[in-house]
Amino acid sequence: MSLTTNSHVNTWINAMVNLTQPEEVVWITGEEEQLEQLRKQACQTGELIKLNQEKLPGCYLHRTDPNDVARVEGRTYICCKKEEDAGPTNNWMAPMEMYEKLYTIAKGAMAGRTMYVIPFSMGKVGSPFAKYGIEITDSIYVVLNMVIMTRVGKEILTALGDSDDYTKGLHCKDQLNPEQRYIAHFPQDNTIISVNSGYGGNVLLGKKCLALRIASHMGHQEGWMAEHMLILGIENPKGEIYYVAAAFPSACGKTNLAMLIPPEIYQKKGWKVYCVGDDIAWIRPGEDGRLWAVNPENGFFGVAPGTSPKSNPNALASSMKNSIFTNVVHNLDNNTVWWEGLDKNPPSNARDWLGKDWDGTKEEKGAHPNSRFTAPAVNCPCISSEFESPKGVPLSAIIFGGRRAKMMPLVYEATDWTHGVFVGSIMGSETTAAATGKVGVVRRDPMAMLPFCGYNMGDYWQHWIDMKNKVEKMPKVFHVNWFRTNDAGQFIWPGFGDNLRVLEWILERCKGTLEAKETPIGYVPFAKDLYLEGADISFEALEKLLHIEEEKWKEEIPGIQEFYNRFGDKIPKDLKRELEKLENRL
Ligand code: GTP
Ligand code: SPV
Ligand code: MN
């Protein structure tokens, strides 16, 4: 029985039922009773393992197929009408061709299975900026994750009314065949189809697929921006709160920065940090001439390894109830979970992420490097009071960052907005386990959006540049790198909570209260202006982290040129000019 009289929705659902041939259709109402029934069912089939309910109330463990552990960028497509609108950084296929291919795969794919219909909202239901979607899936795991990551239930259908303004998402696990795995986006039809995967960003269609790829296209049309950014609020001892957004590539520190705990000495002085979002920001010009950001998500899909009471106690606390763990170690002694970096005591009686016996003495890791927790945002001890605010928070600064072992300074500031867009466009970062492929190779990842921009990246940069005509008081733009290493391969900057020291400098620059050093790449702090009291780093080491190695920067130029050349006419003139200016200054 359909939960709505919306004929657009019902026509589409009927077509998908005819195509996929499920045994049964279940609409997700959002009611706890129904969800509890689904959890029970998933435990019976082994899809979920119910964890120790005293230590981890409401928590479950899931293992994905071993060949299905990360996003698959090579199999992710933007199927707009014209190939040039997808641009050189996206895979493209003509919409008709892709529909045909995927409908062939989806045909009968739910035979003998149940189809779940999930009405969901990205953003607060009823807010003018919310985007509604309906995901069809044959996976209970997807249902339960979507319930945490988005707003799910009947109220979305009420808010949608008779409108056809919603994203259609079809997900079929099918055979989990990696050769037939496709994550396809049809921006002109507001449609997403994902087949043959059961993993995170490939199948939780509200997240990367809707809130970044489809939404970036919408933002381009409608005059706003969908970005791969955390949003955090920083309260200084005077009680003033400033908000910043930061774009780092996958597994490069967004969740950590979004929930950071100030160093003790900062806490004593009265500094506080509030998390608004850890992965996605929708950013619009506000009526007051500033840029405002909302987090369209409702939970965190965070990297487990490295999350510890020391590195990120807030993320850990968030995942201690009503959460789902994916591909971590199962501790059989007390029916809890473990991952590398949680503590120094791996369980001795356990199963690894593959479900094999594991005792912590083996060479192989127990948790997959891209193992994750799915945790409700409300669990976060430092969640911002503005988290639910429909208009979001005003941005003082936008911060780009990457994972660079060499060369890239701890922090630098762009000279103006256009230069800031340039700084974002030339971002490079070492690849991580968040996507399949080689790890640790430097690649260009503009604005951390390489895998997530739903249209031509050249047009995207122009859209960024043009925002300055819509906004009077643009945020200042910065670039950070927490990941410089010494000759022994150890991180030099202490990172994590100590990153607040860099944020403090950034806020001072936004207020205009601090001088900075002019360099060929932009403004860099004088080492004396970063507060180091209580930090595990010497002044000399900091000076090195702030030193601009001009020779190494010169070596970057040809790579940037080559990257820009791939965009042909689409490369904004302003960016070409910024590159020439950089070259001349070096
Ligand atoms: P996605 O969810 O994939 O978008 O990742 P993310 O950007 O939210 O990354 P996350 O905060 O989960 O961090 C990923 C990895 O980087 C973890 O192993 C962290 O321990 C590590 N990390 C985060 N912040 C820092 C830091 O300041 N310094 C160092 N050295 N490592 C960090
Ligand atoms: C990322 O890879 O940037 C993530 C995880 O946030 S996923 O949802 O799988 O894309
Ligand atoms: Mn992410």
Side-chain angles (χ1 to χ4, degrees):
M1 254 292 277
S2 174
L3 273 191
T4 176
T5 53
N6 182 318
S7 59
H8 308 284
V9 172
N10 287 329
T11 305
W12 174 62
I13 301 284
N14 287 338
M16 293 303 108
V17 168
N18 283 332
L19 175 72
T20 60
Q21 296 288 316
E23 193 170 287
E24 198 190 347
V25 178
V26 172
W27 286 71
I28 301 301
T29 61
E31 286 152 346
E32 181 50 30
E33 206 178 313
Q34 182 188 43
L35 298 173
E36 192 51 31
Q37 190 54 41
L38 290 176
R39 290 182 198 111
K40 275 207 185 106
Q41 207 179 314
C43 287
Q44 276 159 14
T45 60
E47 190 176 352
L48 289 182
I49 295 169
K50 192 171 189 167
L51 294 165
N52 183 326
Q53 295 298 298
E54 260 161 48
K55 291 188 185 322
L56 298 168
C59 292
Y60 293 81
L61 169 66
H62 172 78
R63 295 189 192 106
T64 64
D65 196 85
N67 76 33
D68 190 24
V69 295
R71 284 181 294 101
V72 281
E73 296 178 4
R75 310 202 65 90
T76 300
Y77 285 76
I78 302 298
C79 304
C80 44
K81 291 203 176 82
K82 289 195 282 178
E83 181 167 13
E84 74 157 332
D85 290 336
T89 54
N90 281 314
N91 301 308
W92 176 84
M93 203 182 281
M96 285 315 287
E97 200 184 327
M98 187 57 105
Y99 278 125
E100 212 180 291
K101 188 191 256 310
L102 297 184
Y103 285 164
T104 306
I105 295 172
K107 197 170 174 193
M110 293 195 192
R113 298 182 183 179
T114 302
M115 170 190 280
Y116 301 98
V117 182
I118 316 169
F120 68 94
S121 175
M122 301 313 293
K124 195 176 162 66
V125 183
S127 124
F129 307 132
K131 296 283 178 195
Y132 304 131
I134 297 185
E135 176 163 355
I136 295 175
T137 179
D138 51 4
S139 157
I140 295 182
Y141 172 74
V142 167
V143 172
L144 297 174
N145 272 275
M146 284 294 284
V147 164
I148 299 172
M149 294 304 298
T150 74
R151 282 107 171 150
V152 164
K154 283 192 278 205
E155 65 276 18
I156 283 94
L157 296 168
T158 309
L160 182 64
D162 289 328
S163 166
D164 64 353
D165 186 11
Y166 70 98
T167 305
K168 305 179 192 69
L170 171 66
H171 166 241
C172 307
K173 281 189 296 191
D174 199 28
Q175 311 298 316
L176 298 178
N177 177 359
E179 308 296 324
Q180 292 291 311
R181 189 167 293 156
Y182 290 95
I183 323 299
H185 307 71
F186 304 86
Q188 273 105 11
D189 306 339
N190 203 354
T191 296
I192 305 158
I193 302 179
S194 164
V195 292
N196 276 301
S197 174
Y199 175 78
N202 297 335
V203 298
L204 308 177
L205 301 185
K207 194 173 177 60
K208 302 300 165 128
C209 300
L210 193 174
L212 289 178
R213 299 194 190 97
I214 295 282
S216 62
H217 166 84
M218 290 173 170
H220 185 219
Q221 311 268 304
E222 298 167 6
W224 54 280
M225 305 156 92
E227 301 297 333
H228 191 201
M229 291 180 180
L230 67 94
I231 310 166
L232 92 161
I234 305 159
E235 182 175 336
N236 67 19
K238 285 190 212 145
E240 301 161 335
I241 303 181
Y242 296 91
Y243 294 93
V244 304
F248 309 157
S250 301
C252 289
K254 285 183 302 302
T255 302
N256 274 273
L257 192 68
M259 299 177 194
L260 80 79
I261 305 255
E264 217 173 288
I265 192 153
Y266 276 76
Q267 286 181 34
K268 279 198 190 126
K269 288 194 205 160
W271 288 82
K272 294 192 182 89
V273 165
Y274 306 103
C275 172
V276 182
D278 82 324
D279 199 53
I280 297 177
W282 284 357
I283 304 176
R284 293 162 206 277
E287 280 159 17
D288 65 350
R290 292 186 289 179
L291 267 188
W292 290 68
V294 298
N295 168 16
E297 300 194 278
N298 203 30
F300 311 117
F301 187 59
V303 179
T307 306
S308 76
K310 224 178 129 224
S311 70
N312 195 344
N314 285 326
L316 200 59
S318 305
S319 71
M320 297 299 275
K321 63 176 184 212
N322 304 329
S323 295
I324 300 172
F325 297 91
T326 301
N327 292 342
V328 299
V329 175
H330 188 196
N331 181 341
L332 296 176
D333 279 337
N334 58 8
N335 192 23
T336 62
V337 289
W338 190 85
W339 48 78
E340 279 70 22
L342 173 64
D343 55 40
K344 296 208 166 89
N345 312 304
S348 53
N349 175 26
R351 299 236 162 88
D352 67 7
W353 69 274
L354 293 158
K356 289 202 294 230
D357 288 346
W358 188 84
D359 63 7
T361 62
K362 295 205 177 100
E363 187 89 354
E364 298 105 82
K365 293 201 155 109
H368 188 275
N370 192 37
S371 55
R372 301 247 167 189
F373 55 81
T374 319
V378 291
N379 284 1
C380 181
C382 67
I383 195 76
S384 165
S385 57
E386 301 303 302
F387 170 70
E388 294 270 7
S389 160
K391 70 180 194 319
V393 295
L395 295 181
S396 296
I398 285 179
I399 307 171
F400 296 118
R403 188 182 276 271
R404 295 293 295 264
K406 300 289 168 218
M407 185 191 87
M408 194 57 78
L410 179 62
V411 56
Y412 73 99
E413 178 190 332
T415 52
D416 60 23
W417 179 255
T418 305
H419 181 236
V421 177
F422 172 72
V423 168
S425 79
I426 66 168
M427 261 171 71
S429 193
E430 289 147 24
T431 50
T432 64
T436 52
K438 229 176 150 179
V439 167
V441 191
V442 177
R443 70 166 183 186
R444 299 266 153 230
D445 188 351
M447 284 80 171
M449 283 288 278
L450 183 73
F452 308 120
C453 184
Y455 61 107
N456 191 308
M457 185 73 82
D459 293 330
Y460 168 82
W461 289 328
Q462 190 62 52
H463 182 47
W464 264 79
I465 293 169
D466 293 343
M467 288 307 285
K468 72 168 185 278
N469 306 325
K470 301 194 178 104
V471 180
E472 244 169 84
K473 281 172 64 187
M474 267 302 182
K476 278 186 181 270
V477 180
F478 298 82
H479 187 284
V480 299
N481 175 28
W482 317 136
F483 298 95
R484 275 273 279 274
T485 52
N486 60 20
D487 294 338
Q490 294 150 333
F491 295 117
I492 301 171
W493 177 248
F496 302 100
D498 286 306
N499 293 335
L500 183 58
R501 299 170 191 273
V502 175
L503 295 176
E504 182 185 14
W505 182 82
I506 286 175
L507 292 184
E508 292 295 335
R509 287 296 294 171
C510 290
K511 282 192 264 178
T513 44
L514 265 185
E515 295 293 312
K517 191 170 149 189
E518 267 182 65
T519 79
I521 66 165
Y523 300 115
V524 172
F526 294 110
K528 66 167 177 53
D529 288 333
L530 277 186
Y531 184 64
L532 284 193
E533 185 87 32
D536 188 15
I537 183 170
S538 70
F539 186 78
E540 292 70 33
L542 176 67
E543 277 186 315
K544 270 201 198 132
L545 287 182
L546 295 174
H547 177 66
I548 305 305
E549 300 172 79
E550 296 192 14
E551 284 310 310
K552 293 232 175 79
W553 275 89
K554 274 187 201 157
E555 289 166 23
E556 287 272 298
I557 303 276
I560 299 170
Q561 242 144 14
E562 206 177 296
F563 184 58
Y564 275 6
N565 285 342
R566 291 175 59 196
F567 296 88
D569 299 346
K570 290 279 190 187
I571 184 86
K573 287 196 186 62
D574 283 327
L575 292 190
K576 270 191 173 159
R577 201 168 313 123
E578 288 296 334
L579 180 57
E580 278 162 29
K581 282 180 359 196
L582 172 63
E583 214 177 344
N584 293 337
R585 287 193 301 256
L586 282 166

